[in-house]
Amino acid sequence: TTLLAWGSIAFIGIAHGVPLDKNAKTISVVALSICLLIYYITQFCSSSCSYLCNRSESANIYNYMERIFYTPMYKRMHIQCYHYEMRTSTYRDSNGNTQIRTEQVRVNTYSNYEHYYYLSWRDISGKFDLDLSGGMEQQERAFVKLHLKLFMRLAEDGTATDFEYQKASFIARNHRDLYYDFSETLVLDGHKEHILVKVTDYDPPCFSSFWFILFTLLTFAEFYKLHMDKYTIVQNFDIVKIVSSRFDLNAPQYIQEYITLTPCIVYMGPVSYTHLRAHETDSYLVCRLLLEKKKKKKK
């Protein structure tokens, strides 16, 4: 997209200096301006922009993850019904003659959403801690690009059967036209897929959304992304919820089964000693490793 943008700017500049007829010059400018617009949309919808818009301090990310572990996940069904129509319109060609154009267009007529029903859920994401092993020993690595992906597991075959029945029932009740598109989306309130976590006291130069926007408008976004990579490491973490439509997954017999997958939040920081505290809820066990700074007094 960057080369496309540069090519658009160069071609527009050349087109103004080349003797072309008015219509040809207008078409070239409009077409290449659209290419430039596509470049801007691509960059502003990129993960780099998303990271910069979701910056967080390391102390805040642990509270955020705890809220995410306590929040239930849903799978949402969506149906969009539609049909096709042939439509006729008139237009004038380059010679000024009136022409008739017939085209097939899609007409959306009805849509609806619905969540799958389940009886109980548990979070089985496992231990979470900021991975500082990817070069954080270098002072300039000041941020972690935290990529949080969502997954839903079904506890047993009976739940899978129930979900298939709910899907078939939903489609049957909402299929109100010749064709339909069906999709499923995982929904977790408060979830952000990309978070930029500050993990050191070092402040890199020109590291903010303002600079990203400026470089993007100048069509140098790819160079700014290289600048970002110099000061960041990437960490992926899967947020996994298991659901059941037939059993209570928080019953005592299931706690032991999933005990090794219970969320465990490990607090990391520049400290000299640690203190461990844990508490158990009805849904899962949350472990916190609290780090405290030891004060050194000079005599």
Side-chain angles (χ1 to χ4, degrees), residues 49-102:
C49 184
S50 180
Y51 278 121
L52 289 168
C53 291
N54 296 319
R55 288 184 57 169
S56 174
E57 298 294 330
S58 59
N60 298 330
I61 194 63
Y62 300 117
N63 295 329
Y64 170 79
M65 292 303 298
E66 184 172 351
R67 291 196 303 270
I68 289 297
F69 290 150
Y70 274 103
T71 303
M73 183 187 297
Y74 299 97
K75 180 177 284 190
R76 183 176 64 187
M77 298 177 283
H78 174 234
I79 190 171
Q80 176 67 65
C81 300
Y82 63 95
H83 64 268
Y84 291 101
E85 295 180 357
M86 301 300 297
R87 294 185 178 177
T88 303
S89 60
T90 59
Y91 68 97
R92 292 187 179 276
D93 59 21
S94 58
N95 297 322
N97 300 320
T98 301
Q99 302 290 340
I100 298 177
R101 175 171 51 204
T102 301

Side-chain angles (χ1 to χ4, degrees), residues 45 58 144 187 228 246 263 273 288 295:
C45 293
S58 59
V144 171
V187 180
M228 284 184 62
R246 303 193 178 191
Y273 67 94
R288 296 181 174 185
K295 297 181 179 179

Side-chain angles (χ1 to χ4, degrees), residues 70 122 255 279-286:
Y70 274 103
R122 288 181 64 90
I255 292 179
H279 65 275
E280 185 174 1
T281 67
D282 291 336
S283 298
Y284 54 81
L285 182 68
V286 177

Side-chain angles (χ1 to χ4, degrees), residues 99 139 144 174 186 196 221 228 232 236 238 246 267 290:
Q99 302 290 340
Q139 184 184 15
V144 171
N174 293 279
L186 293 178
L196 191 65
M228 284 184 62
T232 59
N236 297 315
D238 297 338
R246 303 193 178 191
Y267 288 66
L290 303 179

